[in-house]
Short mmCIF file of all heavy atoms in Angstrom, two decimals:
data_model
loop_
_atom_site.label_atom_id
_atom_site.label_comp_id
_atom_site.label_asym_id
_atom_site.label_seq_id
_atom_site.Cartn_x
_atom_site.Cartn_y
_atom_site.Cartn_z
N VAL A 255 105.82 233.31 151.15
CA VAL A 255 104.43 233.59 150.88
C VAL A 255 103.86 232.48 150.01
O VAL A 255 104.61 231.77 149.29
CB VAL A 255 104.24 234.95 150.16
CG1 VAL A 255 104.55 236.13 151.13
CG2 VAL A 255 105.02 235.06 148.89
N ILE A 256 102.56 232.32 150.08
CA ILE A 256 101.85 231.33 149.30
C ILE A 256 100.56 231.90 148.79
O ILE A 256 99.80 232.61 149.50
CB ILE A 256 101.65 230.05 150.17
CG1 ILE A 256 101.07 228.88 149.37
CG2 ILE A 256 100.72 230.32 151.40
CD1 ILE A 256 101.19 227.56 150.09
N SER A 257 100.22 231.60 147.53
CA SER A 257 99.02 232.10 146.93
C SER A 257 97.79 231.38 147.49
O SER A 257 97.92 230.40 148.24
CB SER A 257 99.07 231.92 145.39
OG SER A 257 99.04 230.53 145.13
N ARG A 258 96.63 231.92 147.15
CA ARG A 258 95.42 231.42 147.80
C ARG A 258 95.11 229.93 147.51
O ARG A 258 94.53 229.28 148.35
CB ARG A 258 94.24 232.31 147.38
CG ARG A 258 93.87 232.25 145.91
CD ARG A 258 92.76 233.22 145.68
NE ARG A 258 91.96 232.93 144.47
CZ ARG A 258 90.91 233.56 144.10
NH1 ARG A 258 90.44 234.61 144.78
NH2 ARG A 258 90.26 233.22 143.02
N SER A 259 95.58 229.43 146.35
CA SER A 259 95.37 228.02 146.10
C SER A 259 96.51 227.17 146.59
O SER A 259 96.39 225.92 146.71
CB SER A 259 95.27 227.80 144.59
OG SER A 259 96.55 227.90 143.99
N GLY A 260 97.59 227.78 146.94
CA GLY A 260 98.81 227.06 147.31
C GLY A 260 99.72 226.80 146.15
O GLY A 260 100.78 226.20 146.28
N GLY A 261 99.28 227.18 144.93
CA GLY A 261 100.02 226.81 143.75
C GLY A 261 101.26 227.62 143.45
O GLY A 261 102.09 227.29 142.64
N ARG A 262 101.34 228.77 144.15
CA ARG A 262 102.43 229.69 143.90
C ARG A 262 103.06 230.05 145.23
O ARG A 262 102.39 230.48 146.15
CB ARG A 262 101.98 230.91 143.19
CG ARG A 262 101.64 230.72 141.76
CD ARG A 262 101.03 231.94 141.08
NE ARG A 262 100.86 231.78 139.64
CZ ARG A 262 99.85 231.08 139.06
NH1 ARG A 262 98.98 230.48 139.80
NH2 ARG A 262 99.85 231.00 137.77
N THR A 263 104.38 229.81 145.36
CA THR A 263 105.10 230.14 146.57
C THR A 263 106.35 230.92 146.21
O THR A 263 106.91 230.84 145.13
CB THR A 263 105.52 228.91 147.32
OG1 THR A 263 106.34 228.03 146.47
CG2 THR A 263 104.32 228.10 147.80
N MET A 264 106.77 231.73 147.19
CA MET A 264 108.01 232.47 147.04
C MET A 264 108.73 232.46 148.42
O MET A 264 108.10 232.47 149.43
CB MET A 264 107.77 233.93 146.61
CG MET A 264 107.22 234.08 145.23
SD MET A 264 107.00 235.80 144.76
CE MET A 264 108.70 236.34 144.71
N TYR A 265 110.10 232.44 148.31
CA TYR A 265 110.87 232.38 149.54
C TYR A 265 111.97 233.46 149.52
O TYR A 265 112.49 233.78 148.44
CB TYR A 265 111.55 231.02 149.67
CG TYR A 265 110.59 229.89 149.82
CD1 TYR A 265 110.08 229.19 148.71
CD2 TYR A 265 110.15 229.49 151.08
CE1 TYR A 265 109.20 228.17 148.87
CE2 TYR A 265 109.27 228.42 151.23
CZ TYR A 265 108.79 227.79 150.11
OH TYR A 265 107.91 226.77 150.26
N ALA A 266 112.34 233.96 150.65
CA ALA A 266 113.52 234.81 150.78
C ALA A 266 114.73 233.93 150.38
O ALA A 266 114.76 232.74 150.66
CB ALA A 266 113.65 235.31 152.20
N ASP A 267 115.70 234.58 149.74
CA ASP A 267 116.90 233.85 149.33
C ASP A 267 117.54 233.12 150.46
O ASP A 267 118.05 232.02 150.33
CB ASP A 267 117.87 234.80 148.66
CG ASP A 267 117.40 235.27 147.31
OD1 ASP A 267 116.46 234.62 146.75
OD2 ASP A 267 117.93 236.28 146.82
N SER A 268 117.52 233.73 151.68
CA SER A 268 118.22 233.19 152.79
C SER A 268 117.61 231.87 153.32
O SER A 268 118.26 231.16 154.05
CB SER A 268 118.27 234.20 153.92
OG SER A 268 116.95 234.53 154.36
N VAL A 269 116.38 231.59 152.92
CA VAL A 269 115.71 230.37 153.45
C VAL A 269 115.40 229.37 152.38
O VAL A 269 114.92 228.26 152.69
CB VAL A 269 114.39 230.76 154.19
CG1 VAL A 269 114.67 231.80 155.28
CG2 VAL A 269 113.30 231.15 153.29
N LYS A 270 115.66 229.69 151.14
CA LYS A 270 115.39 228.77 150.04
C LYS A 270 116.11 227.44 150.25
O LYS A 270 117.26 227.38 150.57
CB LYS A 270 115.80 229.36 148.70
CG LYS A 270 114.88 230.37 148.17
CD LYS A 270 115.35 230.93 146.80
CE LYS A 270 114.42 232.02 146.28
NZ LYS A 270 114.94 232.62 145.01
N GLY A 271 115.32 226.36 150.06
CA GLY A 271 115.95 225.03 150.21
C GLY A 271 115.87 224.50 151.65
O GLY A 271 116.11 223.33 151.87
N ARG A 272 115.54 225.38 152.59
CA ARG A 272 115.47 224.97 153.99
C ARG A 272 114.08 225.09 154.58
O ARG A 272 113.66 224.35 155.45
CB ARG A 272 116.46 225.75 154.84
CG ARG A 272 117.91 225.58 154.46
CD ARG A 272 118.86 226.33 155.42
NE ARG A 272 118.59 227.76 155.39
CZ ARG A 272 118.14 228.45 156.47
NH1 ARG A 272 117.94 227.86 157.62
NH2 ARG A 272 117.98 229.78 156.41
N PHE A 273 113.35 226.11 154.10
CA PHE A 273 112.00 226.35 154.60
C PHE A 273 110.97 225.95 153.59
O PHE A 273 111.20 226.12 152.35
CB PHE A 273 111.81 227.83 154.99
CG PHE A 273 112.56 228.32 156.14
CD1 PHE A 273 113.59 227.58 156.74
CD2 PHE A 273 112.23 229.54 156.77
CE1 PHE A 273 114.29 228.07 157.86
CE2 PHE A 273 112.91 230.03 157.85
CZ PHE A 273 113.92 229.26 158.38
N THR A 274 109.80 225.52 154.05
CA THR A 274 108.70 225.18 153.16
C THR A 274 107.39 225.73 153.71
O THR A 274 107.04 225.45 154.84
CB THR A 274 108.57 223.63 153.00
OG1 THR A 274 109.81 223.12 152.53
CG2 THR A 274 107.44 223.36 152.01
N ILE A 275 106.71 226.54 152.92
CA ILE A 275 105.42 227.08 153.33
C ILE A 275 104.35 226.19 152.64
O ILE A 275 104.52 225.75 151.50
CB ILE A 275 105.28 228.54 152.90
CG1 ILE A 275 103.98 229.12 153.48
CG2 ILE A 275 105.34 228.71 151.37
CD1 ILE A 275 103.84 230.65 153.29
N SER A 276 103.29 225.97 153.39
CA SER A 276 102.20 225.16 152.84
C SER A 276 100.91 225.63 153.49
O SER A 276 100.89 226.31 154.52
CB SER A 276 102.41 223.67 153.11
OG SER A 276 102.46 223.38 154.45
N ARG A 277 99.76 225.19 152.95
CA ARG A 277 98.50 225.57 153.49
C ARG A 277 97.47 224.48 153.32
O ARG A 277 97.56 223.61 152.40
CB ARG A 277 97.98 226.91 152.82
CG ARG A 277 97.65 226.79 151.36
CD ARG A 277 97.35 228.16 150.76
NE ARG A 277 96.11 228.70 151.32
CZ ARG A 277 95.86 230.02 151.33
NH1 ARG A 277 96.71 230.89 150.78
NH2 ARG A 277 94.72 230.50 151.79
N ASP A 278 96.49 224.51 154.16
CA ASP A 278 95.35 223.54 154.15
C ASP A 278 94.10 224.36 154.13
O ASP A 278 93.63 224.84 155.16
CB ASP A 278 95.45 222.70 155.41
CG ASP A 278 94.29 221.71 155.53
OD1 ASP A 278 93.36 221.70 154.67
OD2 ASP A 278 94.32 220.86 156.44
N ASN A 279 93.55 224.51 152.91
CA ASN A 279 92.38 225.36 152.79
C ASN A 279 91.12 224.77 153.39
O ASN A 279 90.19 225.47 153.74
CB ASN A 279 92.12 225.68 151.31
CG ASN A 279 93.06 226.76 150.80
OD1 ASN A 279 93.90 227.30 151.54
ND2 ASN A 279 92.99 227.06 149.52
N ALA A 280 91.13 223.47 153.56
CA ALA A 280 89.93 222.83 154.22
C ALA A 280 89.89 223.14 155.70
O ALA A 280 88.79 223.12 156.28
CB ALA A 280 90.00 221.31 154.01
N ASN A 281 91.03 223.41 156.25
CA ASN A 281 91.08 223.64 157.71
C ASN A 281 91.59 225.04 158.10
O ASN A 281 91.84 225.29 159.29
CB ASN A 281 91.94 222.56 158.39
CG ASN A 281 91.29 221.22 158.34
OD1 ASN A 281 90.24 221.01 158.93
ND2 ASN A 281 91.88 220.32 157.58
N ASN A 282 91.70 225.91 157.12
CA ASN A 282 92.14 227.33 157.39
C ASN A 282 93.44 227.38 158.11
O ASN A 282 93.61 228.08 159.13
CB ASN A 282 91.04 228.05 158.14
CG ASN A 282 89.81 228.33 157.34
OD1 ASN A 282 89.62 227.69 156.25
ND2 ASN A 282 88.95 229.16 157.84
N MET A 283 94.44 226.60 157.63
CA MET A 283 95.75 226.58 158.27
C MET A 283 96.83 226.91 157.28
O MET A 283 96.72 226.52 156.08
CB MET A 283 95.99 225.20 158.89
CG MET A 283 95.05 224.79 159.99
SD MET A 283 95.28 225.74 161.52
CE MET A 283 96.93 225.20 161.98
N VAL A 284 97.86 227.52 157.76
CA VAL A 284 99.08 227.68 156.95
C VAL A 284 100.29 227.31 157.87
O VAL A 284 100.23 227.48 159.05
CB VAL A 284 99.23 229.15 156.46
CG1 VAL A 284 99.31 230.15 157.59
CG2 VAL A 284 100.40 229.29 155.47
#
């Protein structure tokens, strides 16, 4: 998950270090 600004993220333990969530608020993309 990622907060509305993108400044806070959390990951399931099973994916930590392998997955990255990000967002582009200018283009409404995650």
Side-chain angles (χ1 to χ4, degrees):
V255 293
I256 187 166
S257 65
R258 65 184 201 176
S259 76
R262 289 172 171 80
T263 58
M264 293 182 66
Y265 296 90
D267 288 344
S268 61
V269 308
K270 281 180 182 176
R272 298 185 298 118
F273 289 15
T274 303
I275 188 171
S276 61
R277 65 188 295 158
D278 178 354
N279 283 358
N281 292 295
N282 291 13
M283 297 289 296
V284 62

